[in-house]
Amino acid sequence: MMIDWKKVDTVLLDMDGTLLDLNFDNHFWKEFVPLKFAEKQGLSIEAAKQQLQPRFKSMEGKLEWYCLDYWSDVLELDIAGLKAEISGLIAVLPHVTEFLEKAHQSPKKVYLVTNAHRGSLGLKMEKTCLQAFFDGIISSHDLGYPKEQAEFWRLLQQRVPFEKQSALLIDDSLAVLNSARQFGIAHLISVSRPDTKQPKKEITDYPAIEDFRELMAGL
Ligand SMILES: [Mg+2]
């Protein structure tokens, strides 16, 4: 069994790539934003992609990377508006809803902890109606640090009291799992299929689920 549920009383869940199909975000940043940037700047799509790629890369793991306002400013595009334009692509990953129903009915506390900006978080909750399953929703923008930094977890613990020993984090980002491990969160699970349009990832550092059915037993 992947997890002994008796040892867990707090479930911390990432959003993009864990509960929601990362295909939306991948398509948005890798195709749709370059397209709109190319149109705005009078570039070819290829040239736009070449300009944007290093700029995205340099911001990875920083809070600004997840900030719609930041990208709206530097790219001179209405990023929130563009997200809304293709919001039809926002999708819940397979078996997530069953899992959330079961977790919500259990005595365990269930929190959404995300690096997503309040703007995209709002759009995604509106599209997926998952909000009701959580005891709380925490965006790293509220705390001032991304999940990749230990400070995030310290501040999270002040906001929603939990014991490190009995907390479980499920997150598709290895950098985030590493910072949570460093902080001392005892139970860590990764996701090997965050984007349904991409092949399964080989994950060796953490136990990984392909979908949430693997965690239903004993919950
Ligand atoms: Mg994620």
Side-chain angles (χ1 to χ4, degrees), residues 139-152:
S139 160
S140 54
H141 297 263
D142 303 341
L143 305 184
Y145 294 89
K147 293 190 288 179
E148 286 86 340
Q149 292 183 27
E151 194 62 10
F152 170 86

Side-chain angles (χ1 to χ4, degrees), residues 14-18 22 147 171-173 194:
D14 169 50
M15 183 171 72
D16 299 320
T18 298
L22 205 57
K147 293 190 288 179
D171 202 304
D172 66 306
S173 160

Side-chain angles (χ1 to χ4, degrees), residues 121-179:
L121 178 55
L123 175 67
K124 284 171 176 171
M125 287 301 112
E126 192 184 306
K127 282 280 158 191
T128 61
C129 303
L130 294 182
Q131 199 149 356
F133 293 118
F134 305 112
D135 293 288
I137 295 180
I138 298 94
S139 160
S140 54
H141 297 263
D142 303 341
L143 305 184
Y145 294 89
K147 293 190 288 179
E148 286 86 340
Q149 292 183 27
E151 194 62 10
F152 170 86
W153 303 102
R154 204 181 61 74
L155 293 170
L156 177 69
Q157 211 176 17
Q158 290 175 6
R159 177 98 37 133
V160 290
F162 64 86
E163 297 293 331
K164 294 177 191 178
Q165 271 315 309
S166 55
L168 161 68
L169 169 68
I170 309 175
D171 202 304
D172 66 306
S173 160
L174 296 182
V176 168
L177 290 167
N178 290 342
S179 91

Side-chain angles (χ1 to χ4, degrees), residues 3-64:
I3 183 120
D4 181 355
W5 280 113
K6 288 194 288 299
K7 294 187 176 151
V8 173
D9 59 23
T10 304
V11 185
L12 305 169
L13 295 164
D14 169 50
M15 183 171 72
D16 299 320
T18 298
L19 302 180
L20 304 188
D21 196 333
L22 205 57
N23 175 48
F24 171 80
D25 304 272
N26 283 336
H27 178 79
F28 183 78
W29 292 106
K30 289 180 183 162
E31 305 298 332
F32 198 58
V33 168
L35 172 73
K36 294 293 171 180
F37 186 71
E39 281 174 11
K40 172 117 190 178
Q41 303 292 330
L43 298 167
S44 70
I45 295 185
E46 261 329 295
K49 284 184 180 175
Q50 267 172 21
Q51 277 197 24
L52 292 175
Q53 214 171 27
R55 294 175 75 173
F56 291 160
K57 188 92 193 136
S58 71
M59 297 307 289
E60 262 174 26
K62 300 193 179 134
L63 199 56
E64 290 91 344

